[in-house]
Amino acid sequence: MRTTLRPRKATVTLTALTALTALALAGCGGGGTEEPGAKPTGDLPLKGERVEVAAVWTGPEQENFTKVLKEFEKRTGATVTFVPAQDPIVNFLGTKIAGGSPPDVAMLPQVGAIRQAAAQKWLKPAGPEAKAQLAAHYSRGWQELGAVDGTQYGVYFKAANKSLVWYNTAVFENAGATEPKTWKEFLATAETVSASGVTPVSVGGADGWTLTDWFENVYLSQAGPEKYDRLAKHEIKWTDPSVAAALTTLAELFGKPSLLAGGTSGALQTEYPASVTQTFTGGAEPKGAMVFEGDFAAVNIGQTEAKIGTDAKVFPFPKVGDAGTVPVVTGGDAAVALKDTKGAQALLAFLASPDAAKIWAGAGGFLSPNKNLDPSAYPNDVQREIAGALIGAGDDFRFDMSDQMPQSFGGTPGKGEWKALQDFLKNPKDVAGTQARLEADAAKAYRAAAKG
């Protein structure tokens, strides 16, 4: 049963917040038989405090995040309740706020959602301790993603490297296939795998966000970071020739149903989790040999009998064209405070610490933008390599484009970019029509966002 808190104001002095956050972040190890995470002795600074945290996570992600929240409870004495939220979470929060019962903290999966919530004046600025943790452990780029007009609101706790292709090693070995480095090689590899009797590519087209990730990786590599930034801000239109070029490139794959697990109709009916698990189920004869998605696919691979590093391996998304670059597209979930309470501010500070990141990192399916998280926290070499690539990129990454856009266009099932790209997967010959629909929906969304 979820406890609903009534909105209330809390004045927190810097001294008090410093003390409670220091305790929240302090390690609990020591001599004797004390277990990691054991409660420190003495009164806990947040004893009796109740904190609600809303997120759209379900299944293994919710379970692993709950472990992080449990550790916060042990260190502070607070009681934390996880509130399952519907997607898009901004709509869910709007309903909660209108009803007078917003959660203390919410995990927002889009930069655009942070901007929208800040524009609605729903968010409370991150306190001095959270900002100190960010300054100590995060690159400037990740800090700026959580800020709006110079005010820090978000703490990016969970990141994603969304420029990866996972593959079934048994299929590759049987087909004599090797890891491709370019888009041309990728298509050739797909044909090689297809000739061996296995459908090469699994696409989770029932979830439109996976298709936006396909587009963004192709676009970033082919058009370059400057145009990527301009398109993300709608400074150039979706009818631009660079968009046509990216869609035409995607059509080289989407236009060949024989290369897609289940064909076009099958891809459109396959949800993201199934697109991963069907790639690593069935031994050397799965429904698909490769699946494109971020590091978080490891969670779904973990639900199969395949072992990452042996049965399941990964290569970077291939660069497009001779002048293209290997793209590094990232995503992430940021914690924001909707109430200015001691519990909310202490939780933001804790989530910005390496201690919090270490808990989920060990469970797998997680990537932290925290540059001071010890790589040994990750469960295998594959995860460590993916994390190293993200941290090594410094500020030279690009955040998921759809997540930077107004949510009505870039983050709503059945609408905007998600729907337009699903229609494009169904009919990849219609490049111009797809562009026209994307531009019409984008223009409408940006006009509405400008009006607030």
Side-chain angles (χ1 to χ4, degrees), residues 166 280 295 297-302 304-314 364-365 379-383 386:
W166 299 83
F280 300 100
D295 59 280
V299 173
N300 306 95
I301 296 172
T304 72
E305 295 181 359
K307 294 183 179 179
I308 293 174
T310 54
D311 307 311
K313 291 186 178 181
V314 67
N380 54 61
D381 289 339
V382 172
Q383 288 287 103
I386 294 171

Side-chain angles (χ1 to χ4, degrees), residues 375-402:
S376 66
Y378 293 101
N380 54 61
D381 289 339
V382 172
Q383 288 287 103
R384 282 187 279 275
E385 289 173 8
I386 294 171
L390 180 73
I391 298 301
D395 294 333
D396 294 334
F397 62 88
R398 286 299 184 271
F399 201 85
D400 185 298
M401 186 188 295
S402 63

